[in-house]
Amino acid sequence: AKKTTTAAKKTTTAAKKTTTTAKSTTEISVTGNKKIETLCKEFNKKFPCLQLCIFYSYARQQVAKGEKITPIDRSKTIASVRRADSGGDISISGNKKIKSLEKEFDTVFGLYCQVCYYSPEGKGYYTSGSNDEKTLSAFNAECEKRGCPKNKWK
């Protein structure tokens, strides 16, 4: 009976290790009840050189006019700030292109989203052009190689 118990313990331990490994590679789930602050922390933990900036949809027009825009209060939930007729979920994984993520925030939630980073000199940028064609993991790795600062999501 002891051998069966030991085998069961080993199986349970192995299962826990598998779960832990799977969890570290899982996607980030974006649902209406998630706070923006929680989402930004999760995003930055997975992509330490990048940050997620979320704005109301009208910010896109302000950017086009060269006006300064302010991100949405991070203590709010996605559901409380999204467009009234929108809803659904998004999952964020490392193999998702930056432009796809930004477009999904627009189509699913009616929100303007930008993936941002800081240069090694400390200047902040929104991704654009050819960088929007890169996956989140690839661009994060590129920023890391260049010496971009990490964990600047606040």
Side-chain angles (χ1 to χ4, degrees), residues 89-104:
D89 300 336
I90 295 174
S91 53
I92 304 172
S93 64
N95 63 356
K96 185 169 281 197
K97 285 187 177 185
I98 292 170
K99 71 176 186 177
S100 299
L101 174 63
E102 293 174 350
K103 184 174 175 69
E104 283 180 11

Side-chain angles (χ1 to χ4, degrees), residues 47-50 135-147:
F47 311 106
C49 291
L50 307 179
T135 66
L136 291 162
S137 290
F139 190 63
N140 185 72
E142 185 180 306
C143 287
E144 193 167 0
K145 282 181 191 170
R146 288 181 36 217

Side-chain angles (χ1 to χ4, degrees), residues 4-37:
T4 307
T5 307
T6 306
K9 282 182 182 176
K10 285 182 181 177
T11 305
T12 304
T13 304
K16 284 181 184 174
K17 285 181 183 175
T18 305
T19 304
T20 305
T21 305
K23 189 175 183 183
S24 66
T25 59
T26 57
E27 299 174 341
I28 299 168
S29 176
V30 187
T31 61
N33 64 353
K34 184 170 277 192
K35 283 190 176 185
I36 294 171
E37 180 177 36

Side-chain angles (χ1 to χ4, degrees), residues 57-67:
S57 60
Y58 61 78
R60 190 182 318 277
Q61 287 76 36
Q62 290 176 305
V63 169
K65 294 177 186 175
E67 298 174 10

Side-chain angles (χ1 to χ4, degrees), residues 53-71 102 111-116 125-128 132:
C53 295
I54 302 171
F55 308 90
Y56 289 107
S57 60
Y58 61 78
R60 190 182 318 277
Q61 287 76 36
Q62 290 176 305
V63 169
K65 294 177 186 175
E67 298 174 10
K68 184 170 173 37
I69 58 175
T70 306
E102 293 174 350
L111 296 170
Y112 179 53
C113 169
Q114 284 289 304
V115 174
C116 308
Y125 293 96
Y126 298 135
T127 58
S128 63
D132 282 347

Side-chain angles (χ1 to χ4, degrees), residues 103-124:
K103 184 174 175 69
E104 283 180 11
F105 264 87
D106 185 32
T107 56
V108 175
F109 299 124
L111 296 170
Y112 179 53
C113 169
Q114 284 289 304
V115 174
C116 308
Y117 65 100
Y118 283 87
S119 70
E121 300 77 32
K123 186 169 181 185

